Amino acid sequence: MKTLFDKIWDAHVVQHVADGPDQLYIDRLYCHEVTSPQAFEGLRQRGIRPFRPERITCMPDHNIPTLNQDQPIADPVGRKQVETLARNTREFGLTHYALCDERSGIVHVVGPERGLTQPGMTIVCGDSHTSTHGAVGAVAFGIGTSEVEQVMAAQCILQAKPRTMRITVDGTLGRGVTAKDLALYIMSQLTTSGATGHFIEYAGEAVRRLTMEGRLTLCNLSIEMGARGGMVAPDEVTFNYLKGRPEAPQGKAWDEAVARWQELRSDDNAVFDKEVHFSASDIAPMVTYGTNPGMGIAISESIPAAKTESDQKALDYMQFKAGEQMLGKTVDYVFLGACTNGRIEDFRAFASIAKGRKKADSVVAWLVPGSWQVLRQVKEEGIESILNEAGFEVRQPGCSACLAMNDDKVPAGKLCVSTSNRNFEGRQGAGARTVLASPLTAAAAAVTGIITDPRTML
């Protein structure tokens, strides 16, 4: 009896090294501008070319502006990285979605929406949030730059097999409770090290009821609880999402693919190394109060007392005190976007709160689609008009304020309610204070100027 993870992993093992790692075949490698230059240089020095170039897709996303992308990039570091990626892809004959290419965007948003990410695949990228792609029923994980070079050279990687973990969420999520809240809740219970060394399969009614966008959000955050990755078994939600995507199988090949994908599930008697159960009815809209994603509470709860010196350090950095309410705290910035919440469903959710209301004058808001396709949908569905009417501007795609590698930086001391994945010290700018939340909670903060329970505005 095997788990879904075991089935996919074992099917991709080329060679097992005794008392060592597996040589694992990789179906898809994604590259962006930050972690790929050294890998390309390694190939160049060795006088070799990518073994299977058709399985490598490259695009810039981390260090790009979210305004005026048709103009030269002002930041010299960002400009050099983007130009270097373009040059390397030309030299080595790789698929490249360049800046302003209608196919481009954040790699972890583009992969699934193009249909490049498919069930049963092994997928890697030089980025920790590669776990996102597991939402379609793939084994996806982040790797280092030297490993990117390995995959380019041999389409294989040496990797120790992780242990398995199943997180089952029974019941249904309440009104105004999203996949982001589910992920933040799980992290608050398990901590940021609770899944270390494991690959998670998410299961249960609450997970099955999630849209594909929701599943992508959930798997995206697996890495934040220490997991190697996360996945959801493919089902009709998966197939309906992928059908007709540009890079997905078409015609007879589609029918054959779905027949294979329907077999991708854990056996009924499969044994996981670790099992955890939660009830969806216990979950409310969540916010973080500290400096790691595991420091989260229900939005109506009070900030808990520090249990360790690091907890107190986090409270001091955030300028919060134990016993205070998060509700009502003044918000300076709001960020909607990132590979966590930059999809069309997230913009629909944000607009559902913003519609008929006005952005608070005191709030600076960055609304950044995860791809050019999302931006097109935002325009075609009338979402941009709703947001403009409320005083918001929709920017151009990119990682933006998730990690402050571009111009979208939160100033020191300012508080940002963010839909991204990390609230580390300085993550959104030196001295910036970050509260992680869902798109609904971010929208509620943007129109009220304070942390607000979005359920009161639905």
Side-chain angles (χ1 to χ4, degrees):
M1 297 293 102
K2 286 187 173 184
T3 68
L4 172 58
F5 170 78
D6 287 330
K7 289 179 180 180
I8 298 174
W9 183 281
D10 293 349
H12 286 78
V13 172
V14 177
Q15 180 183 12
H16 177 69
V17 179
D19 299 319
D22 288 334
Q23 183 184 7
L24 192 72
Y25 181 79
I26 300 301
D27 292 305
R28 179 76 61 197
L29 169 66
Y30 293 115
C31 291
H32 56 71
E33 77 279 19
V34 177
T35 57
S36 64
Q38 298 90 336
F40 282 113
E41 186 58 28
L43 295 184
R44 200 174 282 114
Q45 289 177 0
R46 294 158 66 189
I48 60 177
R49 299 182 67 81
F51 179 56
R52 291 196 168 158
E54 72 280 1
R55 294 184 175 270
I56 303 172
T57 307
C58 307
M59 67 199 78
D61 58 8
H62 277 55
N63 204 350
I64 61 174
T66 57
L67 293 174
N68 305 315
Q69 289 186 5
D70 59 328
Q71 300 176 18
I73 298 174
D75 173 48
V77 174
R79 183 172 65 253
K80 183 176 181 180
Q81 288 180 332
V82 171
E83 291 174 349
T84 299
L85 179 64
R87 184 175 65 253
N88 284 330
T89 56
R90 285 194 302 270
E91 178 181 343
F92 290 100
L94 302 180
T95 299
H96 178 222
Y97 298 165
L99 205 61
C100 292
D101 186 317
E102 63 176 12
R103 302 168 297 176
S104 70
I106 303 174
V107 66
H108 306 315
V109 175
V110 171
E113 75 179 11
R114 296 283 307 171
L116 287 162
T117 296
Q118 297 172 21
M121 282 185 166
T122 49
I123 299 170
V124 295
C125 175
D127 183 275
S128 59
H129 293 105
T130 308
S131 59
T132 307
H133 303 266
V136 306
V139 169
F141 52 91
I143 57 177
T145 297
S146 61
E147 294 170 312
V148 172
E149 183 182 343
Q150 280 181 31
V151 179
M152 286 183 177
Q155 207 58 40
C156 290
I157 188 174
L158 292 174
Q159 195 77 192
K161 187 178 182 181
R163 297 187 296 276
T164 57
M165 178 178 185
R166 180 162 58 189
I167 296 178
T168 303
V169 187
D170 299 310
T172 58
L173 296 174
R175 184 168 176 263
V177 181
T178 72
K180 181 64 165 290
D181 300 306
L182 171 58
L184 290 174
Y185 175 81
I186 292 173
M187 282 187 282
S188 74
Q189 300 301 302
L190 296 183
T191 76
T192 52
S193 60
T196 299
H198 293 78
F199 211 100
I200 300 169
E201 180 179 339
Y202 296 100
E205 182 184 3
V207 174
R208 291 193 301 272
R209 284 176 172 266
L210 291 176
T211 62
M212 184 51 62
E213 287 88 351
R215 296 176 185 187
L216 289 161
T217 295
L218 180 60
C219 289
N220 174 273
L221 287 157
S222 301
I223 193 71
E224 305 306 338
M225 57 189 95
R228 198 70 182 92
M231 65 196 311
V232 178
D235 57 14
E236 290 303 316
V237 172
T238 317
F239 310 147
N240 291 336
Y241 175 86
L242 288 173
K243 189 172 185 178
R245 301 278 171 178
E247 304 297 335
Q250 306 293 326
K252 183 181 178 182
W254 169 259
D255 296 333
E256 293 171 347
V258 171
R260 293 193 307 272
W261 296 343
Q262 287 174 330
E263 300 300 314
L264 292 174
R265 60 182 181 84
S266 292
D267 293 327
D268 292 341
N269 296 321
V271 177
F272 290 79
D273 294 303
K274 189 173 184 179
E275 292 258 18
V276 182
H277 290 260
F278 295 108
S279 174
S281 61
D282 293 335
I283 306 172
M286 298 283 294
V287 288
T288 58
Y289 62 88
T291 54
N292 73 61
M295 299 179 76
I297 55 175
I299 196 166
S300 59
E301 291 180 343
S302 300
I303 297 171
K307 296 179 181 178
T308 65
E309 185 177 332
S310 63
D311 286 350
Q312 188 58 54
K313 180 174 180 286
L315 290 180
D316 291 344
Y317 179 86
M318 292 298 294
Q319 301 174 29
F320 294 161
K321 293 181 179 178
E324 292 181 342
Q325 288 274 310
M326 289 297 291
L327 285 173
K329 287 196 173 295
T330 301
V331 173
D332 305 298
Y333 283 72
V334 166
F335 171 52
L336 172 67
C339 59
T340 315
N341 284 122
R343 299 176 182 84
I344 186 59
E345 181 180 279
D346 304 310
F347 276 79
R348 290 170 184 156
F350 194 99
S352 72
I353 296 282
K355 187 175 183 178
R357 297 184 170 98
K358 292 290 185 182
K359 180 183 76 68
D361 292 338
S362 58
V363 171
V364 175
W366 293 321
L367 279 50
V368 186
S371 71
W372 283 94
Q373 177 174 312
V374 173
L375 180 57
R376 287 197 303 274
Q377 288 178 275
V378 165
K379 293 176 181 291
E380 291 168 359
E381 294 182 17
I383 293 172
E384 185 176 45
S385 296
I386 291 171
L387 295 172
N388 290 164
E389 178 88 13
F392 296 98
E393 175 191 15
V394 179
R395 299 166 83 94
Q396 293 174 317
C399 290
S400 185
C402 176
L403 74 172
M405 286 186 71
N406 45 67
D407 293 334
D408 303 347
K409 295 178 175 64
V410 177
K414 299 297 184 181
L415 185 70
C416 178
V417 172
S418 176
T419 67
S420 53
N421 40 52
R422 288 178 175 162
N423 54 341
F424 303 157
E425 290 187 20
R427 171 76 175 183
Q428 293 193 289
R433 300 182 296 145
T434 300
V435 170
L436 299 179
S438 75
L440 289 176
T441 301
V447 297
T448 62
I450 57 175
I451 294 179
T452 303
D453 190 330
R455 293 173 296 186
T456 64
M457 306 181 74
L458 293 174

